Amino acid sequence: MSKIIAVVSGGIDSVTMAYHLRAQGHRLHMLGIDYGQRHRRELACARLAAERLGAPYEEADLGGARGVLRGSSLTDPAVDVPDEGHPGGAAAGSGIAVPGRPNIVPNRNALLLSAAFALAVVERAEAVAFGIMAEDIGPSDTSLEFLDAFLSMERIATRGHAHPDLDLVAPLSRLLKREVIALGDRLSVPFADTWTCFRGGELHCGRCASCVERREAFVAAGVHDPTVYASPAVAAREA
């Protein structure tokens, strides 16, 4: 049984990861991070998940970084969140989106993991857990290469202060979204109390890339989707 700092956004993947780690017998210390995202309501879901798991919860306030994370629809008020499949993302005359990828926050994972490893030192944790899944793995800060390199850097940065075997784990990295949902269903994850929508309104919008992915994954997993969407007429595509 290890003590693990679990980076939990409040979304399906990270909450399922926390339930999975607890089921394996690990001691969790859960960390939510406010980096200026417009969908901050996900943090309330992270806190609720920690309460249900009986795990300590902390929230790192990195909201001041919002200014240097401009150009992303997730952090920049001048950039609109596009509907899935729409090439837009920049409000006319008010902002410039990251070219072709308005929902990307450059270097976000390095920022989040730096906070998590700082907490791991303080808590003498044996690992940091990050909830990326198979579809997340790409060429940049969602790659396994990045995670391996980041761990190597942190072992140098925290040498003499952290647990000597400090590790970085991504227990869902081999699972597709539908498999994550199937796992969460087996673990009785309360999916209704997770947040996915990039827009962060009162309800999931049902139109942004994250909402569409959520809907399709529930269909593919054959699991009931308890989410209330603002646009229920937008049907999930066949997986």
Side-chain angles (χ1 to χ4, degrees):
M1 183 171 68
S2 300
K3 183 174 186 179
I4 296 178
I5 305 298
V7 182
V8 179
S9 69
I12 285 175
D13 304 334
S14 63
V15 171
T16 297
M17 177 190 73
Y19 272 71
H20 173 61
L21 291 171
R22 172 52 60 86
Q24 291 183 323
H26 298 294
R27 292 178 294 134
L28 299 183
H29 192 116
M30 293 166 64
L31 176 66
I33 301 176
D34 180 350
Y35 57 91
Q37 65 269 47
R38 72 171 73 204
H39 53 299
R40 269 189 200 79
R41 62 177 302 162
E42 66 180 1
L43 295 171
C45 294
R47 183 181 296 276
L48 181 57
E51 290 175 0
R52 285 177 166 156
L53 289 170
Y57 175 81
E58 291 190 53
E59 202 165 288
D61 183 2
L62 306 182
R66 185 180 209 169
V68 298
L69 298 177
R70 59 188 176 274
S72 169
S73 65
L74 274 62
T75 53
D76 192 336
V79 180
D80 291 335
V81 175
D83 288 348
E84 169 66 348
H86 191 281
S94 62
I96 300 175
V98 176
R101 307 185 76 186
N103 294 332
I104 298 298
V105 182
N107 214 38
R108 174 179 59 176
N109 289 346
L111 184 68
L112 305 188
L113 286 171
S114 291
F117 273 93
L119 182 58
V121 171
V122 173
E123 289 293 324
R124 294 292 291 175
E126 291 149 272
V128 168
F130 206 50
I132 63 169
M133 58 172 188
E135 284 111 329
D136 294 327
I137 295 174
S140 57
D141 68 347
T142 56
S143 67
L144 297 182
E145 176 188 22
F146 164 77
L147 296 182
D148 288 342
F150 198 90
L151 175 60
S152 295
M153 180 272 292
E154 283 291 352
R155 283 179 169 167
I156 295 171
T158 62
R159 184 181 296 156
H161 306 288
H163 189 282
D165 299 318
L166 184 59
D167 200 4
L168 173 58
V169 298
L172 307 183
S173 62
R174 296 182 182 275
L175 300 182
L176 299 173
K177 186 79 168 185
R178 59 180 171 79
E179 294 172 318
V180 172
I181 287 177
L183 172 62
D185 187 50
R186 294 194 297 273
L187 294 170
S188 298
V189 171
F191 291 125
D193 293 321
T194 61
W195 188 262
T196 294
C197 183
F198 287 152
R199 290 191 166 101
E202 287 302 311
L203 301 175
H204 281 76
C205 74
R207 304 189 314 274
C208 69
S210 190
C211 279
V212 171
E213 177 190 62
R214 180 184 179 111
R215 302 176 89 155
E216 292 179 347
F218 272 105
V219 171
V223 173
H224 169 67
D225 183 358
T227 313
V228 178
Y229 298 98
S231 297
V234 180
R237 296 177 303 222
E238 290 297 323

